[in-house]
Every structure is written in structure tokens, then in C-alpha cells.
Amino acid sequence: MSDSIEVQDEGRAVAFSFDEMLRYSGPGSPGGVALGFKLLERALPLLDGGRPVERREVSVSTAFRGPGARDACELVTRALTDGRYLIDMDLERPERGPTLQSFSFRVSCRATMVSLILREGNVTDEFVAMASASDRTPEEDVRFAAMKQEVADLLMSRPATEAFEVE
């Protein structure tokens, strides 16, 4: 497990910690930020021969629409700003069931692309149902906030290989 995600910015090493990602994203999606951190921790070493990639050469496509993962990827790669972060519902995997179907990602740099899916056991059915609910009660909002932190704590306690499977 790493403490930060390292990339190159015009040939200079730049590293971003999980805490920096949280500050960038704000307090609303700690689980999503952890998801983005673990995604990048798993994917980036598989690109460009394991060397730190040039941040503005990384593209991310996903069926996952959560803001925390998007923000983590944006901070590290500037992919959203530059139009290289795409929501692609064709990446959805219905055969994985409603809990895991949208947790599918493609990360690329130059001519190399890696496909990753979130492993089972990192999010629950209840978490996904709460995330998609538009009519949560105040009590459910409190519970959902706690669940988001639980997901963040779980993901950050695991190696990226236990969070994401490479396809």
C-alpha cells in the first residue's frame, strides 16, 4: 500500500496523498475518494512500464458516476478538466448484479489500457441502494454518511489488489 499516488507533471514528480484528495473533494464522498485512490494505486503502475505516468496523458472511462472517485482522478490526472474522464454506461456490467455493475473502469496512458473492476466485499447492497435513493430521511442521511466513511476506511486499509481486479 502506498501513502500517495505519484505522477509526472511535465517531467517533474508530483505526489498526492489520500488526505489531499479528501481536501480537494470535500467531506461528502470519502468512500468515493478512497475508491479513486485505490483505482489509481492499482492502475497507474500497470501503465508505462511501472514508471510514474505523465498526469495529462492518463484517461479514465467508467460507468461509476460518484463524485469522490471523479475528484480523486481529477486531482491526480486533470482528466476531467481536459476531457479525458468519461462516464461510459457501456462499461456497466449488469452480470455483476446491481451492487457491482457500475464499478467498472478503464484507465489508459498512451497506447496502454487496463480494465479494472471493484472486487466483491468492498461495497454492500445497502450502500449502493442508499447512494441511489433520492428520498432519504435525515436519519438515513446520517447512516449513509457513516457508511461512506466505513467504505473509505475499509478500502484504505487494504492493498489496491484487494480492492480492484484487473481484467
Side-chain angles (χ1 to χ4, degrees), residues 1-69:
M1 296 188 303
S2 63
D3 293 335
S4 62
I5 305 297
E6 185 177 315
V7 293
Q8 294 288 309
D9 191 350
E10 297 182 12
R12 292 181 30 218
V14 180
F16 298 95
S17 70
F18 176 67
D19 287 339
E20 289 171 316
M21 290 178 189
L22 280 174
R23 281 193 299 278
Y24 177 77
S25 182
S29 299
V33 173
L35 182 77
F37 184 96
K38 290 299 172 176
L39 171 71
L40 295 172
E41 183 181 32
R42 182 72 172 114
L44 296 183
L46 301 174
L47 305 172
D48 204 21
R51 293 177 297 277
V53 297
E54 185 64 37
R55 72 191 295 204
R56 290 189 183 262
E57 294 180 1
V58 176
S59 297
V60 179
S61 297
T62 182
F64 184 71
R65 295 175 299 276

Side-chain angles (χ1 to χ4, degrees), residues 1-162:
M1 296 188 303
S2 63
D3 293 335
S4 62
I5 305 297
E6 185 177 315
V7 293
Q8 294 288 309
D9 191 350
E10 297 182 12
R12 292 181 30 218
V14 180
F16 298 95
S17 70
F18 176 67
D19 287 339
E20 289 171 316
M21 290 178 189
L22 280 174
R23 281 193 299 278
Y24 177 77
S25 182
S29 299
V33 173
L35 182 77
F37 184 96
K38 290 299 172 176
L39 171 71
L40 295 172
E41 183 181 32
R42 182 72 172 114
L44 296 183
L46 301 174
L47 305 172
D48 204 21
R51 293 177 297 277
V53 297
E54 185 64 37
R55 72 191 295 204
R56 290 189 183 262
E57 294 180 1
V58 176
S59 297
V60 179
S61 297
T62 182
F64 184 71
R65 295 175 299 276
R70 179 201 62 217
D71 291 345
C73 291
E74 169 64 4
L75 177 63
V76 174
T77 68
R78 305 303 290 176
L80 183 67
T81 295
D82 293 346
R84 293 174 285 104
Y85 187 93
L86 304 172
I87 302 298
D88 182 351
M89 297 316 293
D90 289 338
L91 294 178
E92 201 163 68
R93 304 281 300 277
E95 71 276 9
R96 297 190 76 217
T99 298
L100 294 173
Q101 69 184 2
S102 67
F103 292 96
S104 173
F105 300 82
R106 286 191 185 147
V107 182
S108 62
C109 181
R110 298 184 190 132
T112 306
M113 189 266 302
V114 62
S115 293
L116 303 105
I117 55 173
L118 186 68
R119 292 185 184 273
E120 288 186 37
N122 289 292
V123 295
T124 64
D125 295 343
E126 180 187 13
F127 178 83
V128 172
M130 287 280 251
S132 61
S134 60
D135 58 347
R136 288 189 301 265
T137 66
E139 294 80 19
E140 289 171 329
D141 281 339
V142 169
R143 171 71 182 127
F144 186 48
M147 291 171 73
K148 290 188 279 186
Q149 187 60 55
E150 290 167 7
V151 168
D153 294 343
L154 175 67
L155 285 168
M156 294 308 293
S157 73
R158 293 182 167 176
T161 55
E162 289 181 20

